Amino acid sequence: MSAGAIVMMIIAMVIVWGGLVASIVYLRMRPEKTDSPFEDPDLVADDTARSQMPHPTRDT
């Protein structure tokens, strides 16, 4: 491999692995909140009603 190819490979690896590390750090600092005390009661009622309905089937 030539020196230019090695330099480009290192740059590409730094971009890919650096992006991975940056995204992990970002998610560790600002995790997603899944259990919010302020849920919309209409959405909760829709989810409850939908969970009690039978699973749709296809007869094709």
Side-chain angles (χ1 to χ4, degrees), residues 37-60:
F38 305 108
E39 292 188 19
D40 187 11
D42 294 333
L43 293 176
V44 172
D46 289 344
D47 289 342
T48 305
R50 192 176 303 115
S51 68
Q52 295 172 354
M53 295 171 58
H55 189 277
T57 57
R58 293 174 34 175
D59 56 339
T60 56

Side-chain angles (χ1 to χ4, degrees), residues 7-59:
V7 169
M8 289 302 296
M9 180 183 67
I10 292 172
I11 290 172
M13 289 170 61
V14 166
I15 290 172
V16 170
W17 291 106
L20 177 64
V21 169
S23 64
I24 290 172
V25 168
Y26 179 82
L27 286 174
R28 289 240 179 206
M29 291 174 54
R30 296 172 190 85
E32 287 187 30
K33 295 181 181 177
T34 56
D35 53 341
S36 175
F38 305 108
E39 292 188 19
D40 187 11
D42 294 333
L43 293 176
V44 172
D46 289 344
D47 289 342
T48 305
R50 192 176 303 115
S51 68
Q52 295 172 354
M53 295 171 58
H55 189 277
T57 57
R58 293 174 34 175
D59 56 339

